[in-house]
Amino acid sequence: MMKIIWSLCLIFSLFNSILSFSSPANHLCLPDQRDALWEFKSEFYIQKPDWMESDTKTTTEKWKNTDCCSWDGVSCDPKTGKVVELFLWASSLNGPLRSNSSLFRLKHLQRLELTSNNLSGTLPSSISNLKHLKVLNLRGCDMFGKIPSSLGNLSHLTNLDLSENDFTGELPDSIGSLTQLTELQLAVAKLTGKFPLQLLNLSELNGIDLRFNHFQGMLPSNMSSLSKLASFDITGNSFSGSVPSSLFLIPSLMILALGKNDFNGPLEIGYNISSSPSTLGSLSLEENSFIGPISGSISKLVGLWYLVLSFWNTEKGMVDFSSFLHLKSLKTLHLSYLNTRSIVDLSLFSHLMSLSDLDLSGITVKISETLSLPSTIETLALSSCNIAVFPKFLQNLTSLYSLDISVNRIEGQVPEWLWSLPALRYVNISQNVFSGFEGSADVIQRSEKVMLDISSNTFQDPFPLLSNSTVYFSGSNNRFSGEIPRALCELVNLDTLVLSNNNFSGSFPRCFNARISVLHIQNNSLSGVFPEESVSVYLRSLDVGRNRLSGKLPKSLINCTILEFLNMGDNNFNDTFPFWLSSLANLQILVLRSNKFHGPLSSLMFDISENHFTGVLPSDYFASWSAMSSAVDIVDSTLFKYAGRSSPYYHNSVGLTNKGLKMELVGSVFTMYKTIDVSGNRLEGDVPESICLLKELIVLNMSNNAFTGRIPSSLGKLSNLQSLDLSQNGLSGGIPPELGKLTFLARMNFSHNRLVGPIPQGTQIQSQNSSSFAENHGLCGVPLQETCGGKEEEEEATKEEEEEDQTLSWIAVVIAYVPSVFCGLTISHILFSCKPDWFMRIFHSFT
């Protein structure tokens, strides 16, 4: 028996050896492939993000041995040893992808993924050298410029993702040659033009993502030619016209996202329900220009589980909410701000047993005492619903995660049972008339609330004890007083703290969480110095304006490399201009107004009015202010994500002088960042010509300084300018006629200068009050009472000014000439007093 077993083992061993010799060898990485990878790595420098531990190695830093096929992120063909896949997601690569990069020597690459690296630069046309590519993913690589037409040569490409870059221009026609393409993702870029018709030739496409670009025009009527399309997302563009009914004829379509465009006209669901049930599961039509009743044909889409129709303008018409009851599979239903006079009974939605996300904000709701909504609801938004009593039905929503009942009329105290809901993490009860909390002082602390917004109520002391898990807290616009509670310092997870517009006093706390990113304590009565240790290196937004803080700016701010918003205005800071702030590359909004800053000015500015700055602004002063020379919106809000869900934005606010009025700017997108206010200082010299480069400038206030010279005619190029204040300076000459052509210029002030000549023609200029031109004794014309004497008077004024300039020039010549004559005579006397032969030797040496 043993002999038989040994014989079988021997036979098996020999058989295995034969197989090993007969099978192809598993080649190691070929030298030319390894060298190309080494060189590709050397083309970039490694800069790890702040969140990565210093001792953590990136993918390419782990490349050590000679067999590149075993390296992280590298895959080879086992038969040939050629590199076929390169996956370097978030590998901290910094530097442009060169046109002659060694990457293009890896000619057998089939998959290239460089997602989330900093490849700041253009996409080289030599990318077409990788002719075997099937997957190309360059999402979030900070690339810019036009998409090269050479991409059309990658005939094997099935997946193309260039999202989250700054690509501009139109999509090249050559994309229509990618007949194998199944996934096209170009979201969050700056692409322009109409819908790329060449995409209709790509019959294999099952996913198109063009979200948040600048496409415009109408969609083609024959969209159904994309017969395999499963997902079509064009959210956040400027498409207009009617939604083609052919979209609903695509049998495979499951996701259709058309929100945040300019679609209008009737919505036709071009599909016959009797032929086959619709596969469409997700439909987004929010924030378009639809006017009139909501199409009842939506009820035919019985497979919908996601439906968003927010901001549909029904023109105060009625909405038949019962039509949504046919959609039994609905999990998400957003009907907010429909501009309807209808009152919706919440009990209507108790029949949608799968519902988990309901948003009826902006619609008056009726809540009965016996109301019971499905226990599956996780997110409920009833903001601006005209609710006067705290909804008791919420007690039964044991799955409720997020609750928004802001902007209602609810009075009294917040019930204690709210904090015992087991899943509740986000609560927004702002803008009501709440005055306190039921239960003991630690009722909130015992819960696990992550985000809590109680702003704009009438809460007063005692300040609530917050949960240790709190990430976001806003208690602004209430009646809290005394010192800021030191218990806030114990909240180790706190990321956003907003306590603006209360009555807090005392010194600024020295103990805030070192990881806090938004700290707003504007408009209180805090005093003393701003402590250095209260500055977190993670700060993105810091607002302590309108307090009584004194001393110098904390130098520890220089470590806040991601700081975007800084408001120190309306305090008692006494310091020179903080030049060191210019090293903060991400700082976009700086407010230092109404302090005691002094000395010369740096190039970093937003609002520095009412200080003591001096000096001359050079003519090229604004040449590098790129943020105002192109249409860039600065998102200054804070979006938090927890367990895959998002909280609302927190809006920054800042005060400035606009159109002669003190005003507060509030918003999630700070378009008013495009404002320059240097009023109330001691600046002198000419108004810099380079200001005309700031194409997106909206407000310009240079009043109450010592500027002289002429008003630059180039100001007429600021087509978006709405407010211009040059009053109380020493400006001379005429008001440039070009300013009369600025159609948005609603408010201007040229008073208290030395301006002369006629006020330019133009509806906007001549509609101003006469006080806008007062104390300029040489000005004439509407709206002033002084009439102009025609062209002769204007020419005479110009002639007198030219003669004055000429006289000054002649005086300068005489002043320079007299010493020259004197020096010449002196030298001549000396020379001719010398011996003739000595003089002749000097003369011959020069001739």
Side-chain angles (χ1 to χ4, degrees), residues 648-813:
Y649 290 94
Y650 172 68
H651 302 308
N652 280 335
S653 66
V654 63
L656 79 158
T657 304
N658 179 25
K659 303 183 180 180
L661 302 172
K662 298 285 185 182
M663 60 184 293
E664 185 93 353
L665 301 177
V666 181
S668 60
V669 178
F670 241 110
T671 54
M672 290 303 292
Y673 163 61
K674 303 171 181 70
T675 298
I676 294 178
D677 188 347
V678 297
S679 61
N681 284 286
R682 301 169 187 170
L683 302 174
E684 55 191 26
D686 293 341
V687 175
E689 284 280 353
S690 56
I691 205 165
C692 70
L693 299 175
L694 310 184
K695 304 296 185 184
E696 298 299 314
L697 195 62
I698 294 175
V699 176
L700 175 59
N701 188 349
M702 307 184 84
S703 64
N704 196 16
N705 277 285
F707 288 111
T708 55
R710 294 175 174 270
I711 299 174
S713 60
S714 57
L715 287 179
K717 297 179 181 179
L718 302 179
S719 57
N720 291 307
L721 200 63
Q722 298 178 17
S723 178
L724 174 64
D725 193 343
L726 299 175
S727 62
Q728 300 186 61
N729 281 288
L731 299 170
S732 58
I735 298 176
E738 291 82 358
L739 295 182
K741 302 175 183 178
L742 297 179
T743 54
F744 293 110
L745 190 54
R747 199 275 179 189
M748 57 201 82
N749 192 347
F750 302 99
S751 63
H752 298 273
N753 279 287
R754 301 172 186 172
L755 301 172
V756 298
I759 295 173
Q761 300 292 314
T763 305
Q764 296 292 72
I765 285 188
Q766 296 186 339
S767 65
Q768 301 296 306
N769 190 286
S770 60
S771 61
S772 296
F773 306 93
E775 301 300 324
N776 287 281
H777 300 297
L779 281 181
C780 58
V782 179
L784 296 177
Q785 295 181 351
E786 293 81 0
T787 58
C788 298
K791 289 187 176 180
E792 292 82 4
E793 184 172 320
E794 182 180 351
E795 291 173 357
E796 184 66 27
T798 304
K799 185 176 180 182
E800 288 179 5
E801 191 171 340
E802 289 177 351
E803 288 178 353
E804 183 180 345
D805 291 343
Q806 193 173 14
T807 302
L808 290 173
S809 299
W810 276 109
I811 291 172
V813 169

Side-chain angles (χ1 to χ4, degrees), residues 72-181:
D72 284 5
V74 179
S75 294
C76 299
D77 185 324
K79 295 181 180 180
T80 65
K82 300 284 188 181
V83 175
V84 292
E85 291 188 358
L86 189 58
F87 187 89
L88 299 178
W89 184 86
S91 295
S92 302
L93 301 179
N94 288 266
L97 183 59
R98 304 172 187 172
S99 59
N100 61 346
S101 172
S102 57
L103 172 70
F104 303 129
R105 303 209 312 259
L106 302 174
K107 295 184 181 297
H108 291 79
L109 268 182
Q110 298 178 24
R111 186 183 191 97
L112 176 60
E113 301 214 21
L114 300 177
T115 306
S116 300
N117 286 287
N118 183 19
L119 307 182
S120 182
T122 59
L123 177 59
S125 58
S126 46
I127 190 73
S128 62
N129 291 347
L130 304 177
K131 297 186 182 299
H132 296 281
L133 269 186
K134 294 181 179 179
V135 176
L136 176 59
N137 191 339
L138 299 174
R139 176 185 289 263
C141 286
D142 292 326
M143 305 189 89
F144 54 81
K146 292 189 175 183
I147 296 175
S149 59
S150 61
L151 273 181
N153 297 329
L154 301 177
S155 57
H156 297 286
L157 210 59
T158 59
N159 294 69
L160 176 61
D161 190 347
L162 302 179
S163 301
E164 299 175 28
N165 285 288
D166 288 330
F167 290 117
T168 56
E170 297 185 9
L171 198 63
D173 292 341
S174 61
I175 294 293
S177 302
L178 303 178
T179 56
Q180 303 299 312
L181 204 61

Side-chain angles (χ1 to χ4, degrees), residues 454-567:
I454 64 170
S455 60
S456 299
N457 280 281
T458 59
F459 287 110
Q460 52 192 343
D461 302 324
F463 192 86
L465 295 174
L466 301 178
S467 164
N468 288 332
S469 57
T470 302
V471 173
Y472 175 104
F473 178 76
S474 178
S476 61
N477 296 89
N478 279 288
R479 299 174 183 174
F480 295 119
S481 60
E483 292 192 346
I484 294 176
R486 294 303 187 265
L488 292 172
C489 302
E490 300 173 6
L491 305 180
V492 294
N493 296 309
L494 191 63
D495 184 283
T496 295
L497 177 63
V498 183
L499 299 175
S500 301
N501 303 315
N502 279 285
N503 298 312
F504 288 114
S505 58
S507 59
F508 202 95
R510 296 177 176 269
C511 58
F512 279 127
N513 171 14
R515 301 190 68 85
I516 200 165
S517 71
V518 177
L519 180 59
H520 285 206
I521 314 184
Q522 180 191 28
N523 196 22
N524 281 280
S525 299
L526 299 177
S527 59
V529 299
F530 191 103
E532 298 275 352
E533 53 268 47
S534 291
V535 176
S536 161
V537 296
Y538 295 96
L539 275 175
R540 288 199 308 108
S541 185
L542 175 62
D543 189 345
V544 293
R546 280 188 264 173
N547 278 284
R548 300 173 185 172
L549 299 172
S550 57
K552 296 185 176 183
L553 287 189
K555 286 290 181 65
S556 52
L557 282 170
I558 201 170
N559 299 318
C560 303
T561 55
I562 60 174
L563 189 65
E564 299 173 357
F565 178 95
L566 178 60
N567 182 7

Side-chain angles (χ1 to χ4, degrees), residues 609-627:
S609 59
E610 301 176 40
N611 279 285
H612 303 106
F613 290 118
T614 59
V616 175
L617 301 183
S619 61
D620 61 348
Y621 187 79
F622 298 102
S624 62
W625 289 33
S626 58

